[in-house]
Amino acid sequence: MLKKYKFSIIITAVICLLPMLAGVILWDKLPEQIPSHWGIDGQIDGWSSKPFAVFFFPALLCGIHLLCVFASTLDPKSKNYAPQMFRLVLWICPVLSLLLNSLVYCFALGYDMLNVPMIISMLVGIMFIIVGNYLPKCRQSYTMGIKLPWTLNDEGNWNATHRVGGWVWTFCGVAMLVTAFLGIFWILIGVMLIAVVVPTIYSYLYYRKHMKD
């Protein structure tokens, strides 16, 4: 799999690191202390030095990206991966690196009118919709999908859970987009909990039902 996706892995890793180049180009315009964390009220509550923000954050996301990619290729069931799911793994961190670091630079340069909680909710909502559409296509593996004892031990449970999970995640994604403009962080947390809890309960009930058959 590494040979097959070698070019894509290199390209996506480079994209993860592109904000470093942007930071170097903007270096003289950036302040010495750069916003790096926002509270649930959307206010800045954490700062980092300019070198740390410019170089560490993109490098961290690139490291996470490569870790996820290589962990996926080591999965004994990696042959079961749907191409769409692996492409999703390839592109999540690069897109996040571009968007989140752009957000950091915007605030550092004084464009602080942006609503961070709303932007984060919308990004998460879009991601949930994309994942929700791919979940039903996801076949059994140890690194992708809804990995529960019951889904990993029963292909029927896995398929049923991922069909339900696809609908739930898509619904939750739409809910996040609709409520993003309210700027209420706890709505985001609640919807994410629903996305995790509902498929888990369904999977367990499926297991209990078929265990008796």
PDB file of all heavy atoms in Angstrom, residues 82-99:
ATOM      1  N   ALA A  82     -11.624   0.624   1.838  1.00  0.00           N
ATOM      2  CA  ALA A  82     -12.197   1.250   0.645  1.00  0.00           C
ATOM      3  C   ALA A  82     -11.271   2.404   0.261  1.00  0.00           C
ATOM      4  O   ALA A  82     -10.777   3.119   1.133  1.00  0.00           O
ATOM      5  CB  ALA A  82     -13.603   1.774   0.952  1.00  0.00           C
ATOM      6  N   PRO A  83     -10.991   2.591  -1.035  1.00  0.00           N
ATOM      7  CA  PRO A  83     -10.084   3.678  -1.450  1.00  0.00           C
ATOM      8  C   PRO A  83     -10.511   5.040  -0.901  1.00  0.00           C
ATOM      9  O   PRO A  83      -9.670   5.860  -0.553  1.00  0.00           O
ATOM     10  CB  PRO A  83     -10.181   3.635  -2.976  1.00  0.00           C
ATOM     11  CG  PRO A  83     -10.577   2.236  -3.298  1.00  0.00           C
ATOM     12  CD  PRO A  83     -11.476   1.808  -2.171  1.00  0.00           C
ATOM     13  N   GLN A  84     -11.850   5.253  -0.811  1.00  0.00           N
ATOM     14  CA  GLN A  84     -12.335   6.539  -0.309  1.00  0.00           C
ATOM     15  C   GLN A  84     -11.905   6.781   1.134  1.00  0.00           C
ATOM     16  O   GLN A  84     -11.565   7.903   1.519  1.00  0.00           O
ATOM     17  CB  GLN A  84     -13.867   6.602  -0.394  1.00  0.00           C
ATOM     18  CG  GLN A  84     -14.422   6.384  -1.784  1.00  0.00           C
ATOM     19  CD  GLN A  84     -14.828   4.942  -2.007  1.00  0.00           C
ATOM     20  OE1 GLN A  84     -14.179   4.019  -1.542  1.00  0.00           O
ATOM     21  NE2 GLN A  84     -15.927   4.739  -2.718  1.00  0.00           N
ATOM     22  N   MET A  85     -11.932   5.722   1.956  1.00  0.00           N
ATOM     23  CA  MET A  85     -11.574   5.863   3.360  1.00  0.00           C
ATOM     24  C   MET A  85     -10.095   6.178   3.518  1.00  0.00           C
ATOM     25  O   MET A  85      -9.708   7.009   4.339  1.00  0.00           O
ATOM     26  CB  MET A  85     -11.929   4.598   4.133  1.00  0.00           C
ATOM     27  CG  MET A  85     -13.418   4.355   4.282  1.00  0.00           C
ATOM     28  SD  MET A  85     -14.279   5.681   5.197  1.00  0.00           S
ATOM     29  CE  MET A  85     -13.582   5.511   6.839  1.00  0.00           C
ATOM     30  N   PHE A  86      -9.247   5.518   2.739  1.00  0.00           N
ATOM     31  CA  PHE A  86      -7.812   5.798   2.864  1.00  0.00           C
ATOM     32  C   PHE A  86      -7.493   7.196   2.353  1.00  0.00           C
ATOM     33  O   PHE A  86      -6.624   7.879   2.910  1.00  0.00           O
ATOM     34  CB  PHE A  86      -6.983   4.753   2.118  1.00  0.00           C
ATOM     35  CG  PHE A  86      -5.518   4.819   2.466  1.00  0.00           C
ATOM     36  CD1 PHE A  86      -5.079   4.406   3.708  1.00  0.00           C
ATOM     37  CD2 PHE A  86      -4.599   5.309   1.558  1.00  0.00           C
ATOM     38  CE1 PHE A  86      -3.732   4.476   4.048  1.00  0.00           C
ATOM     39  CE2 PHE A  86      -3.248   5.380   1.881  1.00  0.00           C
ATOM     40  CZ  PHE A  86      -2.808   4.960   3.129  1.00  0.00           C
ATOM     41  N   ARG A  87      -8.187   7.641   1.312  1.00  0.00           N
ATOM     42  CA  ARG A  87      -7.974   9.021   0.840  1.00  0.00           C
ATOM     43  C   ARG A  87      -8.388  10.013   1.912  1.00  0.00           C
ATOM     44  O   ARG A  87      -7.763  11.076   2.062  1.00  0.00           O
ATOM     45  CB  ARG A  87      -8.754   9.256  -0.461  1.00  0.00           C
ATOM     46  CG  ARG A  87      -8.083   8.660  -1.694  1.00  0.00           C
ATOM     47  CD  ARG A  87      -8.641   9.257  -2.963  1.00  0.00           C
ATOM     48  NE  ARG A  87     -10.017   8.837  -3.198  1.00  0.00           N
ATOM     49  CZ  ARG A  87     -10.351   7.777  -3.912  1.00  0.00           C
ATOM     50  NH1 ARG A  87      -9.408   7.007  -4.444  1.00  0.00           N
ATOM     51  NH2 ARG A  87     -11.614   7.462  -4.094  1.00  0.00           N
ATOM     52  N   LEU A  88      -9.425   9.671   2.663  1.00  0.00           N
ATOM     53  CA  LEU A  88      -9.859  10.530   3.762  1.00  0.00           C
ATOM     54  C   LEU A  88      -8.759  10.637   4.820  1.00  0.00           C
ATOM     55  O   LEU A  88      -8.462  11.731   5.317  1.00  0.00           O
ATOM     56  CB  LEU A  88     -11.138   9.961   4.385  1.00  0.00           C
ATOM     57  CG  LEU A  88     -11.850  10.824   5.431  1.00  0.00           C
ATOM     58  CD1 LEU A  88     -12.298  12.146   4.822  1.00  0.00           C
ATOM     59  CD2 LEU A  88     -13.053  10.086   6.002  1.00  0.00           C
ATOM     60  N   VAL A  89      -8.144   9.501   5.151  1.00  0.00           N
ATOM     61  CA  VAL A  89      -7.027   9.504   6.098  1.00  0.00           C
ATOM     62  C   VAL A  89      -5.886  10.369   5.575  1.00  0.00           C
ATOM     63  O   VAL A  89      -5.251  11.124   6.328  1.00  0.00           O
ATOM     64  CB  VAL A  89      -6.531   8.061   6.361  1.00  0.00           C
ATOM     65  CG1 VAL A  89      -5.252   8.064   7.188  1.00  0.00           C
ATOM     66  CG2 VAL A  89      -7.599   7.250   7.074  1.00  0.00           C
ATOM     67  N   LEU A  90      -5.630  10.289   4.277  1.00  0.00           N
ATOM     68  CA  LEU A  90      -4.539  11.051   3.675  1.00  0.00           C
ATOM     69  C   LEU A  90      -4.761  12.554   3.760  1.00  0.00           C
ATOM     70  O   LEU A  90      -3.789  13.317   3.885  1.00  0.00           O
ATOM     71  CB  LEU A  90      -4.365  10.647   2.209  1.00  0.00           C
ATOM     72  CG  LEU A  90      -3.621   9.345   1.908  1.00  0.00           C
ATOM     73  CD1 LEU A  90      -3.709   9.023   0.428  1.00  0.00           C
ATOM     74  CD2 LEU A  90      -2.163   9.448   2.343  1.00  0.00           C
ATOM     75  N   TRP A  91      -6.021  13.001   3.693  1.00  0.00           N
ATOM     76  CA  TRP A  91      -6.264  14.431   3.517  1.00  0.00           C
ATOM     77  C   TRP A  91      -6.765  15.166   4.759  1.00  0.00           C
ATOM     78  O   TRP A  91      -6.783  16.402   4.761  1.00  0.00           O
ATOM     79  CB  TRP A  91      -7.234  14.648   2.353  1.00  0.00           C
ATOM     80  CG  TRP A  91      -6.561  14.454   1.042  1.00  0.00           C
ATOM     81  CD1 TRP A  91      -6.589  13.357   0.240  1.00  0.00           C
ATOM     82  CD2 TRP A  91      -5.697  15.391   0.386  1.00  0.00           C
ATOM     83  NE1 TRP A  91      -5.814  13.538  -0.877  1.00  0.00           N
ATOM     84  CE2 TRP A  91      -5.248  14.784  -0.819  1.00  0.00           C
ATOM     85  CE3 TRP A  91      -5.257  16.676   0.696  1.00  0.00           C
ATOM     86  CZ2 TRP A  91      -4.392  15.436  -1.695  1.00  0.00           C
ATOM     87  CZ3 TRP A  91      -4.388  17.313  -0.186  1.00  0.00           C
ATOM     88  CH2 TRP A  91      -3.973  16.694  -1.358  1.00  0.00           C
ATOM     89  N   ILE A  92      -7.145  14.458   5.815  1.00  0.00           N
ATOM     90  CA  ILE A  92      -7.676  15.147   6.994  1.00  0.00           C
ATOM     91  C   ILE A  92      -6.640  16.101   7.592  1.00  0.00           C
ATOM     92  O   ILE A  92      -6.902  17.298   7.785  1.00  0.00           O
ATOM     93  CB  ILE A  92      -8.155  14.138   8.060  1.00  0.00           C
ATOM     94  CG1 ILE A  92      -9.489  13.520   7.644  1.00  0.00           C
ATOM     95  CG2 ILE A  92      -8.323  14.820   9.413  1.00  0.00           C
ATOM     96  CD1 ILE A  92     -10.031  12.504   8.637  1.00  0.00           C
ATOM     97  N   CYS A  93      -5.457  15.612   7.919  1.00  0.00           N
ATOM     98  CA  CYS A  93      -4.440  16.452   8.561  1.00  0.00           C
ATOM     99  C   CYS A  93      -3.927  17.576   7.651  1.00  0.00           C
ATOM    100  O   CYS A  93      -3.744  18.708   8.121  1.00  0.00           O
ATOM    101  CB  CYS A  93      -3.283  15.593   9.064  1.00  0.00           C
ATOM    102  SG  CYS A  93      -3.663  14.705  10.597  1.00  0.00           S
ATOM    103  N   PRO A  94      -3.675  17.327   6.355  1.00  0.00           N
ATOM    104  CA  PRO A  94      -3.254  18.442   5.492  1.00  0.00           C
ATOM    105  C   PRO A  94      -4.274  19.574   5.441  1.00  0.00           C
ATOM    106  O   PRO A  94      -3.912  20.752   5.519  1.00  0.00           O
ATOM    107  CB  PRO A  94      -3.098  17.772   4.119  1.00  0.00           C
ATOM    108  CG  PRO A  94      -2.755  16.363   4.439  1.00  0.00           C
ATOM    109  CD  PRO A  94      -3.562  16.024   5.658  1.00  0.00           C
ATOM    110  N   VAL A  95      -5.540  19.222   5.327  1.00  0.00           N
ATOM    111  CA  VAL A  95      -6.582  20.261   5.292  1.00  0.00           C
ATOM    112  C   VAL A  95      -6.640  21.001   6.617  1.00  0.00           C
ATOM    113  O   VAL A  95      -6.736  22.233   6.657  1.00  0.00           O
ATOM    114  CB  VAL A  95      -7.951  19.629   4.943  1.00  0.00           C
ATOM    115  CG1 VAL A  95      -9.064  20.661   5.118  1.00  0.00           C
ATOM    116  CG2 VAL A  95      -7.951  19.115   3.510  1.00  0.00           C
ATOM    117  N   LEU A  96      -6.570  20.248   7.727  1.00  0.00           N
ATOM    118  CA  LEU A  96      -6.582  20.887   9.047  1.00  0.00           C
ATOM    119  C   LEU A  96      -5.376  21.805   9.215  1.00  0.00           C
ATOM    120  O   LEU A  96      -5.491  22.900   9.782  1.00  0.00           O
ATOM    121  CB  LEU A  96      -6.592  19.822  10.143  1.00  0.00           C
ATOM    122  CG  LEU A  96      -7.916  19.097  10.390  1.00  0.00           C
ATOM    123  CD1 LEU A  96      -7.747  18.038  11.466  1.00  0.00           C
ATOM    124  CD2 LEU A  96      -9.005  20.085  10.799  1.00  0.00           C
ATOM    125  N   SER A  97      -4.221  21.374   8.752  1.00  0.00           N
ATOM    126  CA  SER A  97      -3.017  22.197   8.876  1.00  0.00           C
ATOM    127  C   SER A  97      -3.182  23.527   8.145  1.00  0.00           C
ATOM    128  O   SER A  97      -2.860  24.592   8.690  1.00  0.00           O
ATOM    129  CB  SER A  97      -1.806  21.437   8.323  1.00  0.00           C
ATOM    130  OG  SER A  97      -0.624  22.187   8.489  1.00  0.00           O
ATOM    131  N   LEU A  98      -3.701  23.479   6.931  1.00  0.00           N
ATOM    132  CA  LEU A  98      -3.909  24.708   6.164  1.00  0.00           C
ATOM    133  C   LEU A  98      -4.932  25.625   6.833  1.00  0.00           C
ATOM    134  O   LEU A  98      -4.693  26.832   6.990  1.00  0.00           O
ATOM    135  CB  LEU A  98      -4.368  24.364   4.742  1.00  0.00           C
ATOM    136  CG  LEU A  98      -3.340  23.692   3.827  1.00  0.00           C
ATOM    137  CD1 LEU A  98      -3.971  23.373   2.479  1.00  0.00           C
ATOM    138  CD2 LEU A  98      -2.103  24.574   3.640  1.00  0.00           C
ATOM    139  N   LEU A  99      -6.049  25.055   7.243  1.00  0.00           N
ATOM    140  CA  LEU A  99      -7.127  25.872   7.797  1.00  0.00           C
ATOM    141  C   LEU A  99      -6.784  26.422   9.175  1.00  0.00           C
ATOM    142  O   LEU A  99      -6.957  27.620   9.440  1.00  0.00           O
ATOM    143  CB  LEU A  99      -8.419  25.051   7.867  1.00  0.00           C
ATOM    144  CG  LEU A  99      -9.022  24.652   6.520  1.00  0.00           C
ATOM    145  CD1 LEU A  99     -10.258  23.773   6.721  1.00  0.00           C
ATOM    146  CD2 LEU A  99      -9.407  25.891   5.710  1.00  0.00           C
TER     147      LEU A  99
END
